[in-house]
Amino acid sequence: MAELFPKQVPTFPKLIGVVSLYGIMDRTAWEQHTPDISYLENALSRFALRMLFYAYTSNPNFDKPVPQHNQPLQGRVTLCDVLPTIKTFPPSMFLVGTRDVLIHSSRRAVNELLAKGCHTELLEYDARHAFFGLPPGLNSHPSAYLYHAKPAFFKILEFLERLPWMEPSPAPSRLSLSLPTLPSGALRK
């Protein structure tokens, strides 16, 4: 069957910009106490992030990457893990709430990118984690959409309009999809 589906190397499009709506995570900055949220919310956030790192890495010592052989990222799972190894980064905009434990690592990532000369913007809103994506009824305050998410939406649009967009390619006259043909009875073996 291997000859029917030859191994293909994935190709990735060139990134012209990055918008992160929910903050940037690193391995340890979220362990700091975030004074704008309660002790309980800090503790629950830290517990959830510890579980997240363990789920991604199977490493209970999440504060240090464990190199894994034959893996291109060598155990690095966050943007902050790879920042020391990169020289360039596409123009980026990071949104984060000041009542989000990811504010510390978001500030760290932006400072590191700025130190490398990358165009990076950080927008902080007096809001919790995921303030942008939650429906207005699920936000912690009814005005969160009006005063945080809606203005953030327009800032994102302004940022995207400044990116060097490529000219659209002409639309194909018809959509075509080519799949390999299986020999008769191949699935019954």
Side-chain angles (χ1 to χ4, degrees):
M1 269 235 173
E3 64 277 355
L4 293 176
F5 300 101
K7 185 175 180 181
Q8 296 179 351
V9 177
T11 57
F12 297 98
K14 179 185 176 201
L15 292 177
I16 61 170
V18 173
V19 176
S20 172
L21 302 176
Y22 304 114
I24 300 299
M25 184 166 50
D26 70 0
R27 290 175 181 272
T28 58
W30 46 268
E31 288 281 357
Q32 300 175 41
H33 179 74
T34 303
D36 291 339
I37 60 177
S38 71
Y39 173 81
L40 179 62
E41 193 170 350
N42 271 287
L44 289 173
S45 296
R46 287 193 296 270
F47 173 77
L49 289 169
R50 281 189 194 106
M51 293 299 104
L52 177 82
F53 270 109
Y54 184 72
Y56 274 103
T57 66
S58 300
N59 174 14
N61 301 317
F62 56 84
D63 57 335
K64 293 186 175 99
V66 175
Q68 297 173 7
H69 303 292
N70 301 324
Q71 286 191 352
L73 295 177
Q74 293 296 306
R76 294 174 278 208
V77 293
T78 71
L79 174 63
C80 292
D81 287 343
V82 297
L83 279 177
T85 64
I86 63 173
K87 293 180 177 54
T88 63
F89 198 76
S92 54
M93 171 183 277
F94 302 113
L95 285 76
V96 67
T98 57
R99 292 180 276 150
D100 183 347
V101 295
L102 299 182
I103 190 158
H104 311 293
S105 49
S106 297
R107 289 173 178 163
R108 175 184 162 214
V110 167
N111 288 334
E112 287 187 34
L113 287 167
L114 289 172
K116 292 177 179 282
C118 301
H119 174 83
T120 305
E121 300 174 29
L122 177 65
L123 301 179
E124 296 180 7
Y125 292 88
D126 181 27
R128 285 181 158 46
H129 181 72
F131 72 93
F132 186 81
L134 290 177
L138 295 179
N139 271 305
S140 58
H141 193 273
S143 64
Y145 172 77
L146 181 63
Y147 294 110
H148 307 306
K150 186 176 180 181
F153 175 77
F154 289 106
K155 290 288 189 183
I156 293 168
L157 287 179
E158 290 171 13
F159 173 79
L160 294 174
E161 288 174 344
R162 293 192 311 262
L163 294 176
W165 290 98
M166 299 171 60
E167 290 296 319
S169 57
S173 57
R174 64 184 176 96
L175 182 64
S176 64
L177 178 65
S178 60
L179 297 172
T181 304
L182 292 174
S184 174
L187 296 177
R188 285 179 249 159
K189 290 182 181 179

